Amino acid sequence: MTTSISGWSGYYPSPYVSSGSMTGVSGATLSPPLQSYQTEISDLAALQNNLDGLLTQSQNLATLQSQFSFSASSSASSVATATAGSGAISGIYNVQIGQLAQGQVVSSAAQSSATAAIGSGSPTTLSFQFANGSSKSVAIDGTNNSLQGISDAINSAQIGVSASVVSNGSGQQLTITGATGSANAFSIAVSGDATLSSMLNYTPGASSNGLTLNLSAQDAQGSVNGVAFSSGSNAVTGAANGLTLNLISTGATTVNVSPDATTAASTVQSFVNAYNSAQSALNTLNQGDLSSNGILAPIQDALTNAVNSTSVNGNGLSTIGISTNADGTLSFDATAFQAAAVANPQNVTQLLSNNSGTGLGDQLSTALDAFTSGGSIQSIMSGLQTQNSAEQMLGNLASALPNSASGSLPSDLTGASLYSEVQQLVQGTYSTADGLSGSTNDPSWSALGNLSNAYSLLNNVYA
């Protein structure tokens, strides 16, 4: 008997109810066991899971281009290091650094103690005016009018400068340091206690400052490939596309920017693993119950054809480290892949995924979607499940049929002929010509439940 499944036409006989297989109407057995159908269904479900995984990994190849990053190396790391980010361009960059960015540093006259009170303790305000136009203030009173107290108050205010108390050969000094860059230069005006005012005021260029200038604020200065740059920070951005220079000292260095395909290689490895799992599953199933089923060969052909046909400008997958083994699985050389990505990242992405749909991932995504996502595999699984239910029902019918005079069913009572007998019963035209006796009113039929439902199910398979 042949059953046609939507989308696929295959040979699905009824081997489980065959000539001589039901030798007694009471406790009749089926041969071979029903487990065979269940095994096929289970095998197809496992295959579907493998193909779903491969479909996901094939689709991930479409994001490969965004996974390429860039690395940057400096020939003189004591002068500058570099990092490459979004927008970086491969190439060699000649970097000259003439001046580092630095922050303004001022310090007070030495005091004998870091904790002794200075001045009267009356409320005092330190007003900071910055070159960038902003202003900040710090309050001092009798609770913090020592070098350490003033340092702590400045740091707690978080106004863009830091303070500390340092010891020199003459005593303790308050040191105030601004952020790097000329825009962060500052002056300090003091109102309140006269002692603190004379000690802490600072105006650039004035002759009566209480604080002494140790370092002036300045910007970093240099050039990249002959183009000058200026930066308020020693972390220089914008001097070259996507490149950040971390300046350490004056001098010269060469920065090499190249693609980094580490993340992309990991994605390709995951794809290869999924592909190999699918091929291995197909190889195994070809040795089992599904070997004669028409679903396996088209799937395996689709996988193999996609790998073999993928090419860009005459270059196949082997040029990016992907090769085919004798059993149809793939091998992946991550080192060769990364070398190919550095040399020609566009060629790598075109081979694996492109807008024309000819990349490996594109071809497999299209092919696999036809087999999964409610496609051919599901249709065949559904057909097998229906047949499995039908065969189980046939077994029940064989056990429930009234005993014949000879005590056994006719030797030629196959699934199809039993269906014919059930058909006659349902239609009320049952004949005893076959040596069977009884009718749908016989109590022996009670085990079947609704006979018309059984007939309907058998009708789908054997009609």
Side-chain angles (χ1 to χ4, degrees):
M1 190 70 193
T2 301
T3 300
S4 179
I5 304 298
S6 175
W8 283 86
S9 182
Y11 182 66
Y12 296 99
S14 174
Y16 307 123
V17 181
S18 58
S19 176
S21 65
M22 293 179 286
T23 58
V25 295
S26 179
T29 60
L30 301 176
S31 178
L34 287 170
Q35 180 63 34
S36 181
Y37 270 142
Q38 295 162 354
T39 298
E40 289 184 40
I41 293 169
S42 176
D43 287 345
L44 283 171
L47 176 60
Q48 169 109 23
N49 286 337
N50 277 311
L51 295 181
D52 284 341
L54 178 55
L55 176 59
T56 297
Q57 294 301 329
S58 297
Q59 292 167 339
N60 286 346
L61 294 179
T63 65
L64 206 62
Q65 185 166 1
S66 65
Q67 296 175 27
F68 284 110
S69 57
F70 288 86
S71 62
S73 60
S74 171
S75 63
S77 57
S78 61
V79 174
T81 60
T83 55
S86 177
I89 300 174
S90 298
I92 303 296
Y93 298 84
N94 296 311
V95 180
Q96 296 283 338
I97 303 170
Q99 174 178 292
L100 295 177
Q102 66 184 26
Q104 177 179 320
V105 179
V106 293
S107 59
S108 69
Q111 305 292 312
S112 60
S113 171
T115 56
I118 303 171
S120 64
S122 59
T124 301
T125 300
L126 308 182
S127 298
F128 289 76
Q129 182 65 47
F130 295 92
N132 59 19
S134 65
S135 59
K136 305 289 183 180
S137 62
V138 178
I140 305 296
D141 57 24
T143 64
N144 59 3
N145 58 334
S146 64
L147 289 183
Q148 191 61 59
I150 295 168
S151 174
D152 292 342
I154 291 173
N155 291 332
S156 297
Q158 298 182 339
I159 61 173
V161 300
S162 62
S164 62
V165 177
V166 297
S167 178
N168 62 19
S170 302
Q172 308 295 314
Q173 285 182 292
L174 174 68
T175 299
I176 302 173
T177 303
T180 61
S182 58
N184 293 311
F186 59 86
S187 61
I188 304 174
V190 184
S191 61
D193 184 82
T195 302
L196 289 178
S197 178
S198 63
M199 175 183 173
L200 300 177
N201 74 89
Y202 175 78
T203 301
S207 58
S208 58
N209 288 321
L211 295 173
T212 299
L213 178 65
N214 303 118
L215 288 175
S216 296
Q218 66 181 32
D219 295 330
Q221 304 285 342
S223 66
V224 175
N225 288 344
V227 179
F229 69 80
S230 178
S231 171
S233 168
N234 287 317
V236 179
T237 59
N241 288 341
L243 192 64
T244 298
L245 299 173
N246 305 295
L247 310 186
I248 298 170
S249 66
T250 58
T253 186
T254 299
V255 173
N256 183 12
V257 177
S258 59
D260 183 351
T262 303
T263 301
S266 177
T267 296
V268 176
Q269 181 67 72
S270 295
F271 162 79
V272 169
N273 292 345
Y275 183 95
N276 289 345
S277 293
Q279 280 284 21
S280 296
L282 287 164
N283 290 339
T284 300
L285 292 176
N286 270 319
Q287 307 301 315
D289 293 329
L290 288 172
S291 58
S292 61
N293 192 303
I295 187 66
L296 299 181
I299 296 175
Q300 204 148 29
D301 287 345
L303 301 188
T304 302
N305 289 341
V307 170
N308 292 339
S309 65
T310 298
S311 175
V312 173
N313 297 325
N315 297 316
L317 294 173
S318 61
T319 62
I320 62 171
I322 300 175
S323 57
T324 305
N325 303 316
D327 62 355
T329 59
L330 300 177
S331 292
F332 179 57
D333 185 336
T335 301
F337 174 84
Q338 293 189 60
V342 169
N344 192 341
Q346 184 176 8
N347 183 67
V348 170
T349 56
Q350 286 289 305
L351 275 168
L352 296 178
S353 182
N354 57 61
N355 294 331
S356 300
T358 57
L360 177 59
D362 310 313
Q363 294 185 61
L364 286 175
S365 294
T366 300
L368 290 169
D369 193 55
F371 296 113
T372 60
S373 304
S376 304
I377 294 178
Q378 279 298 127
S379 296
I380 291 180
M381 285 176 64
S382 178
L384 289 173
Q385 288 164 346
T386 297
Q387 284 193 247
N388 194 47
S389 298
E391 302 295 351
Q392 290 175 329
M393 186 61 70
L394 284 173
N396 291 336
L397 286 169
S399 299
L401 277 171
N403 198 359
S404 69
S406 63
S408 64
L409 296 176
S411 62
D412 64 346
L413 190 59
T414 62
S417 62
L418 182 55
Y419 161 69
S420 178
E421 297 291 342
V422 175
Q423 182 182 42
Q424 294 180 60
L425 284 168
V426 173
Q427 295 173 347
T429 60
Y430 187 83
S431 170
T432 60
D434 295 312
L436 301 177
S437 63
S439 70
T440 54
N441 295 321
D442 191 292
S444 299
W445 288 103
S446 61
L448 290 175
N450 190 335
L451 181 60
S452 63
N453 287 344
Y455 169 71
S456 176
L457 180 59
L458 294 170
N459 182 67
N460 289 334
V461 179
Y462 295 105

